[in-house]
Amino acid sequence: MAFKIVRNDITKMNTEAIVNTANEQAAVSTGCDIAVYNAAGYEELLQYRRAKIGAVPEGEVFITPGFKLPAKYIIHAVSPKYLGGNAGEEEKLRSCYRKSLLLAKAQGIRSIAFPLIATGSFGYPKEEGLRIAVDEINAFLLDNEMTIFLVVFDDRSKTLGKRIYPKLEEYIDHNYVENKSSAEYGNFRPDMGMAHAAQGMSVPQMSSPQMNAPQMSSPQMSAPQMSAPQMNRKASAAKPGLLGSVFGKHKEKSTGRFYAEDVPADSFEASEEVDFESVHESRLEERMKHISDTFSQYLMYLIQDRKMENSEVYKRAIVDKKIFSKIKNNPDYHPQKLTALCLCVGARLNLDESKDLLARAGYALSPCDKTDIIFSYFIENEIYDMIELDIQLEEHGLPCIIS
């Protein structure tokens, strides 16, 4: 029994069956449908459907041979067109997964690959479509044995994966390997920090809170005297990130809404001085009101502050609605760490907000935990995509969250 999300071309999956997002009529639609027909043998498959299947309503399924595909069978799920969410689309989409799995079971199929049904040309929202897929697949696997793959292969996924992977590897090397070595062998010395910085390398963050901000305690390290306007211009040009980085590595720009959203990028150029209090005082006072909030209370505040809907957050986070309701309705509810991390992604928090929220549940991002490192990378780089995050966990040999 297995369920995995993979990045692949579904027509190349070496499973006993693949699922196709079929049209109601005996005609070929765009996206996954035409890709499957082309790979299987367009005319042969189309003639088979016209002669032996005909029209099939949304939410129903039928099976054909795989023809030229590696898969022996194609299970065609007639996908619902998304009309806003109030026309029975969810039940039809659930039916596509449920009936496909039951048909596969009846045929004695032991391995099957699904696309993310209806989320392409049929218009179903991706995060909601994923949640439904995961619900139905997990429900089936509670009582049945089958190897199931959920295949992600749209243009965005391919591009994002290629862009993320090399940078993520570098990020892990800097933030995990170095810190893990330090933790195991104690080979990091405080005096290594300046040498690493000079070479453009990241420096493991020390546990002491005093290390969170630059310090210049030595007289020899004092900077030349500058006026306030000069310092402002210097800060604008450097753009190191106002609160630093996840484990000592500076970002090219600040991702903190609290610090950046009210200040135009060229504000330091346009004015010699910025009145910090007039820009940030009200927001700082608002944040101070929530200094003693629990995890639940602070999460609800952040969602409201962003003018987001609760459903938008838990759907993007791929968190069960019942669990989210427990968090919302019980101020003292203590979520599991992975749930808390997913909600940081779902609420599109920046790194500092994520750390703050996690701390209210008693958690921290560890530089010696690869799962934490990968979440940190996604959050720091504002990649709020749970499917891609789950794929990266899988590719790094870590337990997946969705599957």
Side-chain angles (χ1 to χ4, degrees):
M1 179 177 68
F3 170 36
K4 291 184 179 180
I5 298 177
V6 297
R7 186 189 294 109
N8 202 347
D9 182 340
I10 197 165
T11 66
K12 293 180 172 60
M13 291 294 291
N14 192 23
T15 49
E16 289 184 57
I18 66 166
V19 175
N20 177 39
T21 56
N23 206 338
E24 280 186 282
Q25 304 302 319
V28 183
S29 59
T30 58
C32 179
D33 196 25
I34 194 169
V36 169
Y37 271 80
N38 285 336
Y42 189 96
E43 290 299 331
E44 194 173 9
L45 178 54
L46 184 57
Q47 287 301 322
Y48 186 97
R49 174 164 186 188
R50 285 174 174 170
K52 299 189 177 184
I53 308 297
V56 178
E58 290 183 352
E60 296 296 325
V61 303
F62 60 92
I63 191 167
T64 69
F67 297 104
K68 297 176 183 178
L69 292 173
K72 184 178 180 180
Y73 300 104
I74 307 169
I75 293 178
H76 302 259
V78 182
S79 306
K81 297 178 183 64
Y82 189 74
L83 303 174
N86 297 314
E89 300 98 322
E90 178 173 345
E91 184 50 44
K92 290 176 183 177
L93 183 54
R94 288 185 180 278
S95 177
C96 286
Y97 285 102
R98 193 182 306 128
K99 291 184 177 181
S100 293
L101 290 166
L102 291 174
L103 180 55
K105 179 182 177 181
Q107 293 288 326
I109 292 168
R110 293 167 296 178
S111 61
I112 188 169
F114 283 86
L116 204 51
I117 297 174
T119 59
S121 58
F122 290 85
Y124 214 100
K126 185 177 179 182
E127 287 83 4
E128 179 67 4
L130 175 63
R131 183 182 66 82
I132 290 169
V134 172
D135 282 353
E136 294 299 329
I137 291 170
N138 283 332
F140 177 82
L141 289 175
L142 287 175
D143 301 311
N144 299 279
E145 293 284 337
M146 193 177 292
T147 300
I148 303 172
F149 297 93
L150 191 60
V151 180
V152 181
F153 194 66
D154 55 30
D155 290 338
R156 179 183 178 279
S157 173
K158 289 183 288 183
T159 303
L160 187 59
K162 290 177 182 177
R163 179 167 65 85
I164 286 175
Y165 193 81
K167 293 181 180 179
L168 178 57
E169 293 306 294
E170 180 184 358
Y171 190 89
I172 291 173
D173 286 344
H174 280 302
N175 294 308
Y176 174 77
V177 176
E178 195 169 279
N179 280 282
K180 192 71 172 176
S181 175
S182 175
E184 292 182 356
Y185 303 108
N187 61 353
F188 176 77
R189 304 188 312 274
D191 62 338
M192 290 169 63
M194 293 303 294
H196 280 210
Q199 298 173 37
M201 298 170 63
S202 68
V203 182
Q205 188 179 29
M206 305 297 287
S207 59
S208 170
Q210 285 82 0
M211 294 295 291
N212 288 337
Q215 296 188 9
M216 301 179 68
S217 58
S218 171
Q220 289 83 355
M221 295 295 293
S222 61
Q225 294 296 315
M226 289 189 291
S227 66
Q230 289 175 318
M231 293 179 71
N232 284 338
R233 286 195 294 271
K234 289 283 187 180
S236 177
K239 292 184 181 177
L242 291 173
L243 289 183
S245 65
V246 56
F247 303 121
K249 181 178 178 181
H250 286 302
K251 282 199 65 180
E252 293 179 359
K253 64 177 182 177
S254 171
T255 58
R257 290 178 72 249
F258 175 59
Y259 294 90
E261 70 173 0
D262 295 320
V263 185
D266 60 351
S267 61
F268 292 115
E269 304 290 338
S271 173
E272 287 295 295
E273 294 189 49
V274 173
D275 185 349
F276 184 90
E277 290 186 2
S278 67
V279 175
H280 296 291
E281 185 175 17
S282 62
R283 292 188 60 80
L284 180 57
E285 287 179 357
E286 182 66 22
R287 288 291 172 95
M288 291 298 289
K289 293 176 184 177
H290 298 273
I291 195 167
S292 60
D293 280 3
T294 64
F295 177 93
S296 170
Q297 292 167 334
Y298 195 57
L299 174 63
M300 293 303 115
Y301 160 68
L302 290 171
I303 293 172
Q304 183 179 16
D305 185 54
R306 280 166 167 68
K307 297 179 173 59
M308 298 172 72
E309 297 292 332
N310 290 339
S311 59
E312 177 186 355
V313 173
Y314 68 71
K315 286 176 182 178
R316 184 183 296 114
I318 320 297
V319 169
D320 186 80
K321 183 178 180 180
K322 293 179 181 178
I323 293 176
F324 187 86
S325 294
K326 289 180 180 179
I327 295 172
K328 176 186 175 184
N329 297 323
N330 183 356
D332 297 318
Y333 185 84
H334 194 276
Q336 295 182 353
K337 184 176 181 179
L338 282 177
T339 300
L341 285 168
C342 291
L343 287 169
C344 290
V345 174
R348 296 179 176 269
L349 303 188
N350 65 44
L351 192 59
D352 296 300
E353 290 167 333
S354 298
K355 289 179 180 179
D356 192 358
L357 182 63
L358 289 168
R360 292 164 193 263
Y363 303 125
L365 290 167
S366 169
C368 296
D369 185 296
K370 278 190 177 180
T371 297
D372 284 9
I373 290 283
I374 291 173
F375 264 96
S376 299
Y377 176 86
F378 272 70
I379 292 170
E380 185 176 8
N381 288 278
E382 301 177 350
I383 306 169
Y384 302 112
D385 187 322
M386 286 299 301
I387 296 177
E388 185 61 41
L389 199 153
D390 205 64
I391 290 171
Q392 293 298 338
L393 291 173
E394 167 70 24
E395 292 181 352
H396 286 84
L398 298 167
C400 296
I401 296 164
I402 300 171
S403 54

